[in-house]
Amino acid sequence: MRSHYCGEVDGNLIDGEVTVCGWVHRRRDHGGVIFIDLRDREGLLQLVFDPDRADLFAEAERLRPEFCIRATGRVRRRPDGTINPKLATGQIEVLGTDLTVLNASETPPIQLDDADGVGDEARLRYRYIELRKPRMQRHMQMRAQTTRVLRRYLDERGFLDLETPILTKATPEGARDYLVPSRTHPGQFFALPQSPQLFKQLLMMGGMDRYYQIARCFRDEDLRADRQPEFTQVDIEMSFVDEADIIDLNEGMIRELFRSVLDEELPEPFPRMAYAEAIRRFGSDKPDLRIDLELVDIADLVADAEFKVFSGPANDAGGRVAVLRVPGGGALTRKQIDDYTDFVGRYGARGLAYVKVNDAAAGRDGLASPILKFLSDEAVAGIMSRTDAADGDLLFFGADKAGVVNDALGALRVRLGHDLDRVAAGWKPLWVVDWPMFEWDDREKRWAALHHPFTAPVGDDAATMAEAPGEAMSRAYDLVLNGTEVGGGSIRIHNPEVQSRVFEVLGISAEEAEEKFGFLLEALKYGAPPHGGIAFGLDRLVMLMAGADSIREVIAFPKTQTATDLLTGAPGDADARQLRELGIRLRQTGGDGTS
């Protein structure tokens, strides 16, 4: 039906004939000549229709935005003064000799202009029109190019592209499962996979050696800008490897991806940082290294302070007192500081103490803060020295349980970096390594896996791990890019005794372990090889590469923050016959959720 995409027509085709198809982006009438900007996924092309062909000209006159058309014409150079350097096809145009309206269009409910002011609800309701925008076309093409590069890289290194089941069994992985009722087994349910984790381990036990999959995964959880109920991950597993093997291979893959898709050279090798160091310096296990602000511990300096807000956490083994120095932050207004105080409150902080440094050389007299009267001269001098505070700086303090301080000051650090234009240009990848095996869940009053229950501990002494869970280290690693976790993995447990002991530490009884993971524990008994892997969030990765603010920008048909599909109206009701076949009866609920 066409000979070229619009964006492919260039000066090499001058005096030649082309046939193009696409949508009318814009129509302009100039002095009896009609100009049509035709758009397809590859770009824009200017068509020209002269009035000397009355029938053709009349057909062109009835064109409106988003009409779908086919046009044939002769390529010619644009007249002097009409060249558009902003357009890839801006030096040429096509003089139309034939025109067919393939489908007319009503006035679109949203305009094909990114600055049209249309809300997210309309964009998702009419997603098929939103996808016609050049921005969305670029995002979808980048996504396709990304998976193409990743597949090629892994194929060339002996990986097998294998599928794992979508209908599977519910397993505890940190979020709620989507359940699917079984018609043939009344009262029982499949679960949609949160990840292919157990199946890819079973593939290693089956001798597949090197596996990958562009896998669809499902999690019924509260959503954020970088979360969706269904998402895609690049899933990788390898046998007879250690951490270095996996990190080196995948680092090379990400470097090749950025080189091929963005023409960007990432550092070689990527820097590595221990989990403990990341938390200490940045309050986060996914630090954005583009921001040059760091947390500084001062618990030892304020342990004897009269200010119980400081001395309490300073003398608590689970507490932390830290300072975030903001160069030039003394210029912040009281209202801005109050806004930041409200901001850290979202992370559990009960306040945000601060000190303005007016004259560092003057010591206490050069500082301004209501908390100074509670601090000794030695403490003040120690804080100033340890933070390298200078004239015009602002010091923000966090004092609470370590988790609250880390979350609050870590988030504040990122917020200030963006607000104060302290985010360096470029890409800053980082491997976060040396993760603890477990973390204590205060709400559940039990140990939880910091990665997942199948991550191998450092060392083979399962008994020691069980005796001191808080001291056990794991063989896990995460890849962080500009403050976003894009991939996470580990060496897996391949010993059934170690796996059983991990379940015990997590409070999973032998009966529950057998019910939920019996197939895995049995498989581990039959010569399971040492193995490990990693999974990359494809949506997050493409979002970063595209410079988008949300993964919805790089997913063709995303859902809302409430997991609703505005385009199709999903989720929807099931008819009575389907429910009867499934043995399901719905209870009526009141407006307050009571039945």
Side-chain angles (χ1 to χ4, degrees), residues 471-484:
E471 299 175 12
M473 300 298 290
S474 74
R475 301 178 67 182
Y477 36 82
D478 276 4
L479 181 60
V480 177
L481 183 61
N482 289 4
T484 296

Side-chain angles (χ1 to χ4, degrees), residues 431-592:
W431 287 106
V432 178
V433 297
D434 300 333
W435 288 68
M437 187 77 180
F438 306 104
E439 63 179 345
W440 181 252
D441 187 327
D442 266 332
R443 187 174 60 181
E444 297 289 335
K445 302 303 178 185
R446 64 179 181 85
W447 291 103
L450 205 58
H451 255 236
H452 57 57
F454 318 107
T455 298
V458 174
D460 297 324
D461 190 345
T464 302
M465 172 190 65
E467 291 166 3
E471 299 175 12
M473 300 298 290
S474 74
R475 301 178 67 182
Y477 36 82
D478 276 4
L479 181 60
V480 177
L481 183 61
N482 289 4
T484 296
E485 176 203 332
V486 294
S490 66
I491 299 298
R492 322 302 187 189
I493 297 169
H494 67 279
N495 180 299
E497 180 186 348
V498 175
Q499 185 64 78
S500 294
R501 191 59 61 95
V502 168
F503 287 154
E504 289 176 16
V505 173
L506 297 175
I508 299 174
S509 67
E511 294 76 15
E512 184 182 1
E514 181 61 33
E515 178 189 352
K516 294 183 176 178
F517 305 108
F519 63 94
L520 174 68
L521 293 171
E522 184 175 20
L524 289 171
K525 298 175 182 177
Y526 297 102
H531 60 285
I534 193 168
F536 292 95
L538 180 67
D539 310 303
R540 288 188 189 179
L541 194 54
V542 179
M543 175 189 74
L544 290 173
M545 295 168 67
D549 295 327
S550 165
I551 61 172
R552 290 191 301 179
E553 283 285 298
V554 298
I555 297 174
F557 298 102
K559 294 180 173 56
T560 67
Q561 294 287 74
T562 58
T564 300
D565 184 344
L566 297 178
L567 175 62
T568 65
D573 297 327
D575 64 42
R577 180 183 60 82
Q578 286 178 304
L579 294 176
R580 283 196 302 271
E581 288 181 340
L582 294 169
I584 293 176
R585 179 181 298 168
L586 300 180
R587 292 190 303 176
Q588 296 296 323
T589 59
D592 60 355

Side-chain angles (χ1 to χ4, degrees), residues 6 20-28 34-47 49 60 63-70 78 84 87 89 99 103 105-108 110-116 129-138:
C6 291
V20 290
C21 298
W23 289 267
V24 175
H25 189 67
R26 189 179 295 108
R27 194 198 78 178
R28 308 185 305 278
I34 294 176
F35 295 89
I36 300 294
D37 290 338
L38 188 66
R39 184 192 70 248
D40 64 17
R41 76 175 203 189
E42 298 298 329
L44 290 172
L45 177 64
Q46 180 170 284
L47 310 179
F49 294 95
L63 297 181
R64 295 293 182 271
E66 299 314 303
F67 272 39
C68 185
I69 69 172
R70 175 179 183 266
R78 290 197 190 190
N84 184 355
L87 204 61
T89 60
L99 174 63
N103 213 336
S105 174
E106 297 181 4
T107 301
I110 61 176
Q111 299 302 309
L112 275 291
D113 182 349
D114 286 333
D116 58 11
I129 297 177
E130 175 82 0
L131 286 173
R132 296 179 190 175
K133 292 185 177 182
R135 181 191 83 258
M136 295 303 300
Q137 296 276 315
R138 290 193 300 271

Side-chain angles (χ1 to χ4, degrees), residues 23 37 39 79 183 211 216 266 352 363 385 453 500 506 574:
W23 289 267
D37 290 338
R39 184 192 70 248
R183 181 183 60 81
Y211 140 96
R216 295 293 284 172
L266 297 183
L352 185 62
S385 173
S500 294
L506 297 175

